Amino acid sequence: MTSVPFPDRDTIASKFASLGEQEKAYVALLMENAAQDENLIDGLHRHLNNAAGAPFLNTLKLENLGKWIGEAAPARLQIRLMEAAKSSQHPAYAAFRTGLSRSGGLEKAYPPAAI
């Protein structure tokens, strides 16, 4: 019998889908624990894939998710979040990528080198 990681990607994807204050607190708590990084990224991919397959694409909601997670995520996750955002050309991923870029999280984590 294989164990299912807690929380599983479907649980995390559902948190991203609703993203109220309680869900934000839950995801923020997950981001504090580096051992949960894989589950978090898997859940994000699941959520973006679900959004890409949905009959209605809520780009504003995906942009807001990208902006929020970019501002809330620790530096160690910033590159992985951007990799997830760039993993598809679908408009759902593009909307998430737009919000993530607007957050400035990657630039804060890895400031450009001064010449």
Side-chain angles (χ1 to χ4, degrees):
M1 182 175 177
T2 60
S3 66
V4 175
F6 178 79
D8 66 354
R9 67 184 184 160
D10 292 325
T11 301
I12 296 171
S14 71
K15 299 294 182 189
F16 284 134
S18 48
L19 206 64
E21 289 306 313
Q22 289 181 331
E23 290 80 9
K24 285 180 180 180
Y26 181 88
V27 172
L29 187 62
L30 286 178
M31 289 190 289
E32 289 178 12
N33 184 354
Q36 293 294 334
D37 288 357
E38 288 302 316
N39 295 343
L40 184 78
I41 297 298
D42 286 347
L44 178 61
H45 277 288
R46 177 67 154 205
H47 173 63
L48 293 173
N49 286 337
N50 289 346
F56 176 75
L57 182 61
N58 190 338
T59 56
L60 183 59
K61 192 171 182 180
L62 290 165
E63 283 182 30
N64 288 337
L65 170 62
K67 188 170 187 316
W68 175 79
I69 201 166
E71 291 170 350
R76 72 174 193 280
L77 283 174
Q78 293 295 335
I79 289 177
R80 299 209 46 209
L81 290 171
M82 190 55 75
E83 287 172 349
K86 291 182 176 183
S87 65
S88 174
Q89 295 299 315
H90 190 279
Y93 286 78
F96 177 75
R97 187 170 50 247
T98 298
L100 192 59
S101 296
R102 286 187 185 151
S103 75
L106 191 61
E107 290 77 22
K108 285 184 233 163
Y110 303 98
I115 297 178

